[in-house]
Amino acid sequence: AQSVTQLGSHVSVSEGALVLLRCNYSSSVPPYLFWYVQYPNQGLQLLLKYTTGATLVKGINGFEAEFKKSETSFHLTKPSAHMSDAAEYFCAVRGGYKLSFGAGTTVTVRA
Amino acid sequence: NAGVTQTPKFRVLKTGQSMTLLCAQDMNHEYMYWYRQDPGMGLRLIHYSVGEGTTAKGEVPDGYNVSRLKKQNFLLGLESAAPSQTSVYFCASSFPTMGQETQYFGPGTRLLVL
């Protein structure tokens, strides 16, 4: 069965600093991997996804993630944090018809 | 184009009461899903549907039933609510594209069971 583990339930960064959110996956087949973002009191929206091809995936709002098969990782980064990046971020892996989500990482941005 | 909508936005129930959550999508998506979100546990799949008239169990189906009589609607029912069902419920939909599909989420329904 496919699963993901997000390392760190809370991340605090200064405005302008690097944002790094860690996700490791477990999958018996080549994985389809996703990052979703949830702003307060809203539903989830897709940031980016990896299916096949280029291992560096660019998403919305300046985020990107790199698929590393050897490390079974799909970490999310943004070079310079903005106050509007404060949200909860979820990594997910596709298994059959279903997505399996990590527990989430809450990002706070300090002025 | 409203996307995915959920009704109601918030509800308080007493233990043992029943209710139905409605999800509607206007994107002509084949697949629809119901998740619950609890602190520190991410989203867990309750039930899902891969087409009109079909439903299947997810990770945490106990205490819930679903129906997909129309392609655009997916109903989640609680027959006898329990405090353990206090949660935020999200509906999502997607168009099948060989596992690569993006799921589109509704705004959520906050349910409190007393």
Side-chain angles (χ1 to χ4, degrees):
Chain A
Q2 284 75 17
S3 66
V4 292
T5 302
Q6 291 184 241
L7 303 176
S9 59
H10 288 89
V11 169
S12 180
V13 299
S14 297
E15 194 172 20
L18 172 72
V19 179
L20 171 60
L21 305 182
R22 301 178 188 275
C23 173
N24 287 92
Y25 70 89
S26 173
S27 176
S28 56
V29 297
Y32 292 154
L33 294 159
F34 304 77
W35 275 101
Y36 281 81
V37 61
Q38 183 181 29
Y39 298 105
N41 299 312
Q42 295 186 26
L44 280 70
Q45 64 182 85
L46 182 71
L47 268 180
L48 49 80
K49 63 182 176 183
Y50 170 78
T51 54
T52 58
T55 57
L56 183 62
V57 181
K58 294 188 184 299
I60 61 172
N61 300 337
F63 284 92
E64 62 183 34
E66 186 170 10
F67 171 67
K68 291 187 177 180
K69 185 178 179 180
S70 61
E71 299 177 7
T72 61
S73 69
F74 191 55
H75 300 334
L76 181 71
T77 60
K78 181 174 180 178
S80 178
H82 190 271
M83 298 299 287
S84 60
D85 295 326
E88 190 163 16
Y89 294 79
F90 294 93
C91 183
V93 63
R94 186 78 180 181
Y97 292 112
K98 301 173 284 187
L99 281 177
S100 294
F101 287 86
T105 299
T106 299
V107 172
T108 58
V109 183
R110 305 186 303 272
Chain B
N1 191 338
V4 179
T5 58
Q6 293 183 231
T7 309
K9 289 184 171 53
F10 178 71
R11 185 76 182 268
V12 179
L13 288 180
K14 294 181 180 178
T15 297
Q17 288 184 319
S18 64
M19 79 164 293
T20 300
L21 283 68
L22 171 63
C23 175
Q25 53 94 4
D26 61 3
M27 296 173 283
N28 202 34
H29 285 167
E30 290 293 330
Y31 296 173
M32 296 187 75
Y33 313 82
W34 275 108
Y35 294 91
R36 59 177 289 171
Q37 182 180 28
D38 301 291
M41 302 188 76
L43 277 75
R44 292 180 292 168
L45 184 65
I46 305 172
H47 287 280
Y48 65 100
S49 168
V50 298
E52 182 178 317
T54 72
T55 63
K57 294 181 180 179
E59 296 174 72
V60 289
D62 294 342
Y64 305 95
N65 56 76
V66 288
S67 64
R68 183 113 181 258
L69 299 179
K70 294 183 178 181
K71 186 177 183 179
Q72 64 268 31
N73 295 338
F74 195 28
L75 278 63
L76 178 71
L78 287 73
E79 291 186 347
S80 179
S84 61
Q85 293 177 305
T86 292
S87 188
V88 182
Y89 293 85
F90 287 99
C91 176
S93 70
S94 67
F95 191 78
T97 50
M98 303 296 287
Q100 304 176 25
E101 61 267 22
T102 299
Q103 290 190 14
Y104 294 85
F105 284 79
T109 294
R110 294 182 179 275
L111 176 64
L112 174 62
V113 182
L114 302 174

